[in-house]
Amino acid sequence: MLNIQRFVCNMFQENCYVINDETNECVIIDCGAFYEEEKKAIYDYVIKNKLTPKHLLCTHGHVDHNFGNGFIFDTFGLRPEFSRDDKPLMDTLNEQAKAFTGIDIAEKTITANRYLNDGDTIKSGNHIFKIIATPGHSPGSVVIYCEDEHLAFSGDTIFRMSIGRTDLALGDYEAMTLSLQRLKSTLPGDTVILPGHGGRTNMADEIKFNPFMK
């Protein structure tokens, strides 16, 4: 069984997830921690529960999901794992921060530990996470799926009754439409969707009620 802790981070209310099982190995997904209290909350949770972080997985390369990459690297020695198609975004996080928030940050660029490809599997403890490529919100957007637990971390591909924007740089609405149809035919209805912003949902409800899934 997976334990899932959500941390709502930064000025964009982004969801960072820390996931572990009985082995206490853990995966961190989309560390958007910007404020010191957010970083402390994640650190304290990991230490209190005696977790061993094994992977820092990134659903895509927008800065709100990656503010905390330097913190995770400095604290736990993990480099981010993301799609090569989003490398242009990951290489310009400081520029994104300035454009989106007006804030000048000078975080060092943390190079990838590995590039995630469609169909790749990530092992942490006794669980396997599968990478599903879902371009649209960004070229390298991915959904991280744990079939055994009926869970999918959707980043900014699917929100509750909505989807991620495609009007940002490198967004592509046609690609997003194809990705949504792929998820519709791939993920069972009982799959719990844990998005990059907002509350959880499930695939059956999204197929039935989300207007973008029609």
Side-chain angles (χ1 to χ4, degrees):
M1 180 177 177
L2 288 176
N3 300 308
I4 303 167
Q5 183 66 39
R6 180 179 70 150
F7 298 87
V8 180
C9 295
N10 65 58
M11 62 290 291
F12 296 101
Q13 298 290 284
E14 178 268 345
N15 292 332
C16 167
Y17 298 97
V18 179
I19 307 107
N20 71 281
D21 64 13
E22 62 277 3
T23 69
N24 281 358
E25 291 187 358
C26 76
V27 168
I28 300 169
I29 296 178
D30 285 358
C31 187
F34 178 76
Y35 301 109
E36 290 306 313
E37 57 266 31
E38 296 165 353
K39 298 174 184 178
K40 183 178 186 301
I42 293 170
Y43 174 80
D44 288 349
Y45 179 81
V46 170
I47 298 304
K48 177 182 177 181
N49 291 281
K50 299 180 181 179
L51 305 181
T52 303
K54 289 294 185 178
H55 298 277
L56 171 59
L57 303 181
C58 307
T59 61
H60 65 290
H62 288 147
V63 67
D64 54 324
H65 291 252
N66 294 281
F67 274 125
N69 289 356
F71 153 66
I72 295 297
F73 177 72
D74 291 341
T75 306
F76 302 116
L78 296 181
R79 295 183 180 274
E81 302 174 41
F82 55 89
S83 168
R84 187 188 296 273
D85 290 336
D86 266 15
K87 186 176 186 299
L89 292 173
M90 297 294 276
D91 287 344
T92 57
L93 293 177
N94 292 342
E95 290 83 352
Q96 288 185 55
K98 178 66 173 178
F100 289 135
T101 69
I103 298 172
D104 284 308
I105 63 172
E107 291 286 340
K108 60 189 174 185
T109 297
I110 309 299
T111 57
N113 178 53
R114 67 181 281 186
Y115 291 114
L116 301 175
N117 298 300
D118 186 49
D120 282 355
T121 56
I122 308 293
K123 188 175 188 300
S124 180
N126 295 322
H127 286 79
I128 299 293
F129 298 87
K130 182 179 179 180
I131 302 303
I132 303 173
T134 55
H137 181 64
S138 70
S141 287
V142 301
V143 166
I144 300 165
Y145 177 47
C146 182
E147 183 176 6
D148 288 345
E149 299 286 341
H150 308 279
L151 291 171
F153 298 86
S154 63
D156 286 4
T157 297
I158 299 179
F159 303 135
R160 181 173 177 81
M161 303 304 138
S162 189
I163 62 171
R165 294 173 60 176
T166 58
D167 59 338
L168 301 174
L170 305 181
D172 185 330
Y173 184 76
E174 183 177 347
M176 173 69 91
T177 300
L178 293 174
S179 292
L180 294 173
Q181 292 304 309
R182 182 185 184 195
L183 292 176
K184 184 177 178 179
S185 63
T186 300
L187 299 182
D190 64 350
T191 303
V192 174
I193 305 293
L194 297 166
H197 301 270
R200 66 174 56 195
T201 182
N202 64 77
M203 202 63 197
D205 283 351
E206 294 308 308
I207 291 171
K208 186 173 181 180
F209 299 113
N210 189 330
F212 298 98
M213 298 290 287
K214 302 302 182 184

